[in-house]
């Protein structure tokens, strides 16, 4: 702790590929010089366990190398790679703990808690003091339109910069997880809708600009309708005549004749007279 307090503020340097290459070369040179000064050793047999560890280390090195590379074709992480990665993390954790010496734990006293809270509050106050005063501006329809256009442009540019990926098959497990996620999203959306939107009316100002746009849209729709009508005027669509169509056509013609000639009205009157006669016969 005292050593770190005496150190000044340093400038962090990014680890570039060139620095990595120089570091690896230095390690190779050190290894060569070390081997030259070593005498004759006793060879040890290469056991299957050593072969397995060597392969795992090569796989881990390959994975770490690919993480530092730029845009490449993504490869799926297989269960074997996950297992090797977990084993490597466990080994690293064990080796790190073995190299640690014995430390003396210090309790977190109320004074330390108070100093920590004061420091957080001072940092927040200093940050807010550096901010100037701003003027709020209303969100106009024009600003909304520009924002939507910018989102569309960003989406198009983002898709253009995407590299070609390797498609992965949709397994039943992935389909099930997708359906479950959609159901959960639907339930959360419905709850939020019931709490915030349901039962509340949305008020929209009827400005002259909105009325002008609405009238223009009506005119465009009318012009489009007449244009389509003029194109289709004089043309017909042939229909296949089958027995069912003929029967329906004949029934419609009969209904039209009955309605036109007034037969339906006379039938109703005759039916009413018959009912009256039946009632008189029953009462008489």
């Amino acid at each position: 702790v005292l050593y770190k307090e005496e150190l000044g503020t340093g400038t962090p340097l990014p680890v570039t590929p060139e620095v990595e290459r120089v570091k690896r070369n230095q390690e190779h040179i050190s290894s060569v010089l070390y081997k030259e000064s070593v005498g004759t050793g006793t060879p040890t047999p290469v056991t299957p366990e050593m072969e397995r560890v060597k392969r795992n280390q090569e796989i881990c090195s390959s994975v770490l190398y690919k993480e530092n590379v730029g845009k490449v074709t993504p490869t799926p992480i297989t269960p074997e790679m996950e297992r090797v990665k977990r084993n490597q993390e466990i080994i690293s954790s064990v080796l790190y703990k073995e190299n640690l010496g014995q430390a003396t734990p210090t309790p977190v006293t109320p004074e330390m808690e108070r100093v920590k809270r004061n420091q957080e509050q001072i940092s927040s106050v200093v940050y807010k003091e550096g901010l100037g005063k701003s003027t709020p501006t209303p969100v106009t329809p024009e600003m909304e339109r520009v924002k939507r256009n910018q989102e569309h442009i960003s989406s198009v540019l983002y898709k253009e910069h995407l590299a070609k990926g390797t498609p992965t098959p949709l397994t039943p497990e992935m389909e099930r997880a997708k359906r479950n996620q959609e159901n959960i999203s639907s339930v959360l959306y419905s709850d939020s809708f019931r709490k915030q939107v349901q039962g509340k009316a949305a008020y929209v100002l009827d400005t002259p600009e909105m009325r002008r746009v609405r009238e223009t849209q009506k005119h465009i729709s009318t012009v489009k309708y007449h244009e389509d009508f003029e194109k289709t005027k004089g043309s017909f669509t042939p229909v296949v005549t089958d027995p069912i169509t003929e029967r329906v056509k004949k029934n419609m013609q009969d209904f039209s004749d009955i309605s036109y000639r007034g037969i339906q009205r006379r039938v109703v009157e005759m039916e009413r007279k018959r009912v009256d006669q039946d009632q008189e016969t029953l009462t008489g």
Side-chain angles (χ1 to χ4, degrees), residues 37-181:
S37 61
V38 173
T40 304
T42 304
T44 57
V46 179
T47 61
E49 181 66 17
M50 294 175 65
E51 289 287 341
R52 186 182 64 81
V53 172
K54 185 177 179 181
R55 285 196 302 272
N56 293 342
Q57 189 64 29
E58 291 175 355
I59 295 172
C60 293
S61 300
S62 176
V63 172
L64 294 175
Y65 173 76
K66 291 180 181 178
E67 289 178 356
N68 295 327
V69 177
K71 294 182 179 180
V72 295
T73 303
T75 57
I77 298 176
T78 60
E80 180 66 18
M81 293 171 66
E82 289 288 341
R83 185 181 65 80
V84 172
K85 187 176 180 181
R86 285 195 300 271
N87 292 341
Q88 188 64 28
E89 291 175 356
I90 295 171
I91 294 171
S92 300
S93 176
V94 172
L95 295 177
Y96 174 75
K97 292 180 180 179
E98 288 179 354
N99 295 328
L100 289 178
Q102 294 182 353
T104 303
T106 57
V108 179
T109 60
E111 181 67 18
M112 295 174 65
E113 290 288 341
R114 185 182 65 80
V115 172
K116 185 177 179 181
R117 286 196 300 270
N118 291 341
Q119 189 64 31
E120 291 176 356
Q121 293 171 1
I122 292 171
S123 300
S124 177
V125 171
V126 171
Y127 173 75
K128 292 181 180 178
E129 287 179 354
L131 293 176
K133 294 182 180 180
S134 59
T135 303
T137 57
V139 180
T140 61
E142 181 66 17
M143 293 174 66
E144 290 288 340
R145 184 182 65 80
V146 172
K147 185 178 179 181
R148 286 195 299 272
N149 292 341
Q150 189 63 32
E151 291 176 356
H152 296 328
I153 294 171
S154 299
S155 177
V156 171
L157 294 177
Y158 173 74
K159 293 180 180 178
E160 288 179 356
H161 293 305
L162 286 178
K164 294 182 179 180
T166 304
T168 57
L170 292 176
T171 61
E173 182 66 19
M174 293 173 65
E175 290 288 342
R176 185 183 63 81
K178 185 178 179 181
R179 286 196 300 271
N180 291 341
Q181 189 65 30

Side-chain angles (χ1 to χ4, degrees), residues 175-191 194:
E175 290 288 342
R176 185 183 63 81
K178 185 178 179 181
R179 286 196 300 271
N180 291 341
Q181 189 65 30
E182 291 176 354
N183 295 334
I184 294 171
S185 300
S186 177
V187 171
L188 295 177
Y189 173 77
S190 299
D191 291 341
R194 283 194 294 270

Side-chain angles (χ1 to χ4, degrees), residues 10 21 38 42 82 84 88-89 109 143-144 154 179 192 195 207 223 231 234 238 249 251 254 261 268 270 282 284:
R21 186 182 63 80
V38 173
T42 304
E82 289 288 341
V84 172
Q88 188 64 28
E89 291 175 356
T109 60
M143 293 174 66
E144 290 288 340
S154 299
R179 286 196 300 271
S192 177
K195 292 178 181 178
T207 59
V223 172
K231 289 181 180 179
K249 185 177 180 181
N251 291 340
D254 294 340
R261 295 175 183 177
V268 172
M270 293 174 63
L282 292 175

